[in-house]
Amino acid sequence: MYASVLQRSGPTEPLHHQRVAVPLPGPDEVLIQVYAASLDRVDNYIRQGSHGMAVATPQTLGRDMAGVVTAVGANVRGFRAGDEVLALGSAAHAQYALAPYWHTLPKPPRWSFAEAAALPTAGRTAFDAIANITGLRSGERVLVVAASGAVGSFALQLGVHLGAEVYATAGQDWKRQTACSLGARAALNHYSADLVDEIRAAAGGAEMDVIIDPIGGELWERLLSVLAPGGRIVTCGVTAGARGSLHLGRLMTKGWHIHGIGRPGREEIAAHLRGCLDLMVAADQRPIVDRTFPLAEATAAHRYLEESNFFGRVVLTGAEESSPAP
């Protein structure tokens, strides 16, 4: 089969479209013929060797996939060859990949494979932040930072479905317009020096009950200025930096609840995957796919993601070369 292989990390290093062996499923794994696999910021960081993400190479990147089951391990129940699925696994940027059966779900019939591949990591993260950690309720005000990103786009969709007043930020006009078309009450420029005042004005002077922040860095401290007393903020990314300051006196008097997204165990991840999928289907919503690239053009897809000129997920689709089923 073909896979997109990282031979070594570096800002300008390309990925290599090359033949590798088809993996064999272990007792608890399903082997999936990958029709689509989404690209994540973490994949960017690993390829670049940045954000503390350097790994041993060579390595095939990717976790999120959708496709057709071709083989199952001895302990697998509920799946068989021919099933259309989405999954959170490993080495997904390939024509075949493995996933544990507990992180594998049936693909909704109306979803494309690209849409299904967009869900696992970003969708389950947004669901955990929105539904579990903050327990967002109908009528509450939620600020979704970087709403055009993978997690942000899901958080926006889920927040709207739950009946919250959703406010968004994005760095470009067209992204802000898209966020509003998806149900945001207002969308602000998170690069604006007047962001705090603009958020308050958009909300009629009110503050946010919940903030979902996948950016971090200097912006994190500014966001606290619009967090209501007793409000909840979840950090689920450090794209803009891993450092932020906090005035403990403000924390004490405001009674804020500050959360990291955490690293849940396999049972929790499985529940988040199922919860997000069920909520998206109930809302008749689909994951947002910005653009697809053939697997053979994975390097171009990485460059596109680095430019941040997208809304939703960037997805790799099966390579043009065929490989026989194992």
Side-chain angles (χ1 to χ4, degrees):
M1 71 170 187
Y2 281 89
S4 178
V5 179
L6 176 67
Q7 294 291 356
R8 59 180 180 272
S9 296
T12 62
E13 289 298 321
L15 294 151
H16 296 260
H17 188 64
Q18 63 186 63
R19 286 188 178 275
V20 299
V22 174
L24 298 176
D28 298 320
E29 293 178 315
V30 295
L31 177 64
I32 298 169
Q33 184 175 8
V34 180
Y35 288 3
S38 62
L39 189 61
D40 195 84
R41 287 286 189 187
V42 170
D43 298 314
N44 266 173
Y45 301 154
I46 292 173
R47 185 187 61 78
Q48 296 165 350
S50 65
H51 292 71
M53 295 288 184
V55 297
T57 53
Q59 184 173 140
T60 300
L61 306 180
R63 296 175 292 180
D64 301 349
M65 68 188 89
V68 175
V69 174
T70 61
V72 301
N75 297 336
V76 174
R77 300 293 181 269
F79 296 101
R80 61 183 180 181
D83 287 345
E84 295 184 349
V85 297
L86 61 91
L88 177 62
S90 59
H93 296 170
Q95 291 182 307
Y96 290 88
L98 299 172
Y101 74 87
W102 51 78
H103 291 163
T104 303
L105 293 170
K107 180 182 80 67
R110 295 177 59 192
W111 289 17
S112 69
F113 285 103
E115 289 167 338
L119 184 135
T121 296
R124 75 99 184 155
T125 299
F127 177 84
D128 191 19
I130 289 284
N132 294 330
I133 295 174
T134 67
L136 181 68
R137 298 182 292 272
S138 178
E140 287 193 305
R141 291 174 294 275
V142 56
L143 177 65
V144 177
V145 181
S148 65
V151 173
S153 62
F154 278 104
L156 170 57
Q157 290 176 288
L158 295 176
V160 169
H161 175 62
L162 292 172
E165 291 184 21
V166 181
Y167 299 86
T169 79
Q172 295 172 271
D173 284 343
W174 74 270
K175 293 179 180 181
R176 294 189 288 274
Q177 292 168 5
T178 302
C180 290
S181 74
L182 292 169
R185 298 289 185 95
L188 300 312
N189 185 351
H190 49 235
Y191 296 119
S192 171
D194 300 318
L195 176 63
V196 169
D197 292 337
E198 291 167 0
I199 292 172
R200 288 199 179 106
E207 295 178 312
M208 299 294 115
D209 300 298
V210 170
I211 298 175
I212 308 299
D213 175 33
I215 289 183
E218 177 271 339
L219 182 62
W220 188 85
E221 184 178 1
R222 297 173 64 197
L223 295 175
L224 293 177
S225 298
V226 295
L227 186 61
R232 298 93 77 196
I233 183 170
V234 181
T235 294
C236 51
V238 291
T239 303
R243 299 289 181 181
S245 61
L246 173 64
H247 191 295
L248 295 179
R250 293 177 69 200
L251 174 62
M252 178 179 66
T253 58
K254 293 284 189 177
W256 291 322
H257 300 265
I258 298 175
H259 304 271
I261 194 64
R263 296 191 180 278
R266 87 178 204 193
E267 292 83 5
E268 290 84 3
I269 291 175
H272 302 162
L273 285 168
R274 170 55 68 185
C276 183
L277 181 64
D278 288 348
L279 201 57
M280 292 288 288
V281 170
D284 196 23
Q285 294 180 340
R286 302 185 189 191
I288 300 169
V289 176
D290 178 273
R291 183 174 171 184
T292 63
F293 288 80
L295 178 64
E297 297 178 14
T299 299
H302 272 248
R303 306 293 190 215
Y304 181 74
L305 195 70
E306 290 166 4
E307 293 170 357
S308 294
N309 193 31
F310 62 89
F311 199 112
R313 273 300 211 190
V314 177
V315 175
L316 299 175
T317 56
E320 66 278 7
E321 300 90 349
S322 62
S323 58

